[in-house]
Amino acid sequence: MRVIDLISKAKEYLVAGIVIVAILAIIIAVGYFIVYKKILNGKKQINKNSVIWLIIFGVYLAVVLMATMLDRISTMGFRKNIIPLFYSYKSAWNNFSAIEWRNIILNICMFIPFGLLLPFGIKKAKSWWVTYVCGLIFTVLIESVQLITGRGVFECDDVFNNLLGAMIGYGFYVLIAYIYACNKGNKSGIKKVIFSFVPLFGTIIMFGTIFGIYNSQEFGNLNLNYITKANVKNVSTNEKLSNEKATYPVYMVEGTNKEKSKQFAKEFLKNVGDKLDDSLTDLYDETAIYHGEIGNVSVEYIDGTYTYTDFSIYFDDEEEDGTTKTDSQVTEDKLREMLKDYGVYIPAGCTFENKGDGIYSLSADKIIEDEIMYNGTIEATCYQGDKIGDINYNIVKCKKLKDVKCISLRDAYDMIKEGKFNYYSNEELDVKVKNVGVDYFTDTKGYYQPVYVFNVDMNGEETQIDIPALKK
């Protein structure tokens, strides 16, 4: 989700929270002034400061509850209803995604008002441990409700981040209280201020260390790195796997940026008889989506791969049953000709495949042209009338950077035995390795890293296990 979308959603929740609290305030006012004061002749007066605090804190709680309970898909049947501690941090590290890091930081910031506001309204919460415990109870309650209702999962990281936010918020309360006391002539309490800011300083150091380590390492991270170990019961193979350390080249991917991707999309849409409508452009952290009058182009910044969809085909050529007739008779030459008309670059030596249902592919298996390597696949869905409805251009263009030392095949095999690979299930695994090869994946810094690809039979089903080859 983009920052602008987050701001828009926050505004919606804020308005809704104000409305909810306003309705409750009206009900309470009627109860107090009419029922309590007039009918029951009550004498107690309402403290104006307490009312103001209740309104502000009530709006805050309403916003938090809506943000954590609404716009959530059902997670009933999800494989892990309780997500272990630091799972989101490991995922954010592997992907080094601005979106994931932003979500972590927002989860911390969301509870800063809790730690700041609570001591102003509740005297006992002026003690640090009371605010901390209340913050812990509130976040655990939210996660538990999400788990029970299926509107989310119980993420230990959310508890950690929310509690950290409440602790930081309490530090700001102590600072405000100290400044107020100083204005009254009481300048004691500086040690308490320093102590209360330890969580904030610790958070800054934590994120500073994470980003510092990332920036200091030569290559980026791969999302293939495991987060939690798979539950491996048995691993076997008939392959002879060498213990010798291997050496493979690392490549630098030719990526793109917002300006270049916009120019590419403009030219691409022009080639297909369309025109870019810049007012509809959607810019995200890692992707840009450019819209024309009849289709759109989505471009990945990191490696320049893209997808194209022609929506007019689905509307203009739709059959009575709602389907669109694909063309299952396209030859390799015809596909190349059609793609060339669209301005799609096809490296020499690509392998053609008819996948059925009008879907065709041209695959480049580490093809070298003028010291440039092309690796990946172009997939196109063809329709009758020499039309292409969808193009998935996943061929990566890269140039050799240098040779690097990698782990041996036996080391990679041992990682499988130890469950050190991504598998999103807790079931016991019986793995039989059939063969292994080397492929390449783009890391988070735009380098093309070697990866061991194990083709396996896992609990009776054919799949593959990817193990990063670079030596750590």
Side-chain angles (χ1 to χ4, degrees):
M1 185 177 287
R2 296 170 297 177
V3 174
I4 188 172
D5 297 324
L6 290 170
I7 294 173
S8 176
K9 187 64 68 175
K11 288 180 179 178
E12 290 180 19
Y13 291 150
L14 181 59
V15 171
I18 292 172
V19 171
I20 292 171
V21 171
I23 293 172
L24 292 175
I26 292 172
I27 295 172
I28 293 171
V30 170
Y32 175 76
F33 289 107
I34 296 178
V35 178
Y36 178 73
K37 295 286 285 185
K38 288 191 175 182
I39 298 176
L40 300 177
N41 294 317
K43 302 299 181 182
K44 289 185 177 181
Q45 298 295 318
I46 293 179
N47 185 299
K48 292 182 180 179
N49 290 334
S50 296
V51 171
I52 294 172
W53 178 83
L54 279 172
I55 291 172
I56 295 174
F57 197 62
V59 170
Y60 164 73
L61 291 179
V63 171
V64 170
L65 291 174
M66 284 187 288
T68 54
M69 297 298 174
L70 300 181
D71 295 330
R72 296 285 184 126
I73 61 172
S74 175
T75 55
M76 289 297 186
F78 186 64
R79 73 159 188 114
K80 282 188 176 180
N81 287 322
I82 300 180
I83 307 300
L85 189 62
F86 299 129
Y87 187 97
S88 65
Y89 283 81
K90 293 176 182 178
S91 177
W93 173 260
N94 289 344
N95 294 291
F96 224 84
S97 162
I99 297 173
E100 294 188 50
W101 286 120
R102 185 164 61 230
N103 287 340
I104 290 172
I105 293 171
L106 285 175
N107 265 323
I108 295 173
C109 293
M110 184 170 65
F111 264 60
I112 289 178
F114 184 93
L116 173 63
L117 294 172
L118 194 67
F120 280 112
I122 300 175
K123 289 184 178 180
K124 288 185 177 181
K126 295 180 186 296
S127 298
W128 62 270
W129 68 269
V130 175
T131 297
Y132 288 10
V133 170
C134 288
L136 178 62
I137 292 173
F138 186 40
T139 183
V140 169
L141 180 63
I142 290 173
E143 296 301 312
S144 299
V145 172
Q146 287 180 343
L147 178 63
I148 294 169
T149 61
R151 302 303 297 174
V153 293
F154 192 107
E155 294 190 59
C156 294
D157 286 356
D158 283 354
V159 174
F160 173 79
N161 293 330
N162 294 163
L163 178 57
L164 185 56
M167 295 165 71
I168 292 171
Y170 178 79
F172 286 118
Y173 160 75
V174 172
L175 177 62
I176 293 171
Y178 174 73
I179 294 173
Y180 180 79
C182 287
N183 290 333
K184 295 290 185 178
N186 182 5
K187 296 185 178 181
S188 62
I190 187 63
K191 289 183 179 180
K192 184 177 180 180
V193 173
I194 296 173
F195 171 78
S196 299
F197 267 81
V198 168
L200 177 60
F201 296 147
T203 302
I204 294 172
I205 292 171
M206 176 181 69
F207 282 108
T209 302
I210 290 172
F211 290 106
I213 292 174
Y214 178 77
N215 288 326
S216 66
Q217 64 186 27
E218 183 177 10
F219 302 119
N221 303 331
L222 288 172
N223 59 10
L224 304 174
N225 288 313
Y226 76 100
I227 299 176
T228 57
K229 290 183 179 181
N231 186 13
V232 178
K233 179 182 179 182
N234 180 57
V235 180
S236 61
T237 185
N238 293 324
E239 293 285 300
K240 292 183 179 180
L241 303 176
S242 174
N243 282 313
E244 186 176 347
K245 305 299 181 184
T247 300
Y248 292 103
V250 169
Y251 297 85
M252 184 67 194
V253 172
E254 184 178 298
T256 186
N257 54 37
K258 292 178 181 178
E259 292 73 23
K260 290 181 180 179
S261 63
K262 178 180 177 180
Q263 184 59 35
F264 164 78
K266 185 177 181 180
E267 293 177 0
F268 187 94
L269 291 171
K270 182 179 179 181
N271 288 336
V272 300
D274 203 351
K275 184 179 180 181
L276 175 66
D277 185 347
D278 204 21
S279 66
L280 299 176
T281 297
D282 294 314
L283 297 176
Y284 297 89
D285 295 307
E286 296 149 3
T287 308
I289 302 177
Y290 301 97
H291 300 266
E293 296 176 355
I294 61 174
N296 66 27
V297 180
S298 175
V299 183
E300 299 292 329
Y301 297 140
I302 190 72
D303 56 14
T305 57
Y306 62 90
T307 61
Y308 167 71
T309 300
D310 182 350
F311 296 107
S312 67
I313 289 179
Y314 302 102
F315 297 108
D316 297 343
D317 300 334
E318 189 175 285
E319 298 294 307
E320 292 183 0
D321 61 358
T323 61
T324 305
K325 285 188 177 181
T326 55
D327 191 343
S328 58
Q329 304 298 321
V330 176
T331 63
E332 178 178 355
D333 290 339
K334 184 62 178 177
L335 178 64
R336 288 176 176 272
E337 180 185 337
M338 293 166 66
L339 290 173
K340 185 178 180 181
D341 290 340
Y342 278 50
V344 177
Y345 178 75
I346 306 171
C350 284
T351 304
F352 173 78
E353 181 182 357
N354 183 344
K355 295 189 172 183
D357 297 326
I359 301 175
Y360 304 86
S361 68
L362 291 165
S363 300
D365 185 13
K366 297 181 277 294
I367 295 173
I368 306 295
E369 287 184 4
D370 299 325
E371 298 184 349
I372 301 295
M373 184 177 81
Y374 296 89
N375 193 45
T377 302
I378 307 169
E379 192 170 273
T381 304
C382 299
Y383 295 85
Q384 293 183 1
D386 295 343
K387 298 178 181 179
I388 298 179
D390 301 282
I391 298 174
N392 292 314
Y393 192 94
N394 290 314
I395 291 182
V396 175
K397 179 182 179 181
C398 51
K399 189 172 184 179
K400 182 177 178 180
L401 180 68
K402 66 176 185 179
D403 292 323
V404 294
K405 292 182 178 180
C406 299
I407 62 175
S408 68
L409 284 173
R410 175 57 63 175
D411 291 335
Y413 179 75
D414 288 341
M415 289 180 68
I416 295 176
K417 292 173 67 175
E418 295 170 14
K420 294 180 178 180
F421 60 91
N422 276 333
Y423 189 72
Y424 301 100
S425 175
N426 288 324
E427 65 179 319
E428 285 190 340
L429 301 179
D430 185 1
V431 181
K432 297 179 181 179
V433 176
K434 295 182 176 181
N435 55 67
V436 59
V438 177
D439 204 348
Y440 280 80
F441 289 81
T442 307
D443 70 20
T444 56
K445 287 188 177 182
Y447 295 103
Y448 215 34
Q449 292 191 25
V451 172
Y452 291 121
V453 178
F454 289 82
N455 294 306
V456 303
D457 182 299
M458 187 182 294
N459 291 354
E461 295 184 3
E462 291 187 0
T463 185
Q464 72 178 46
I465 296 175
D466 302 317
I467 302 294
L470 257 63
K471 190 174 182 180
K472 300 297 183 181

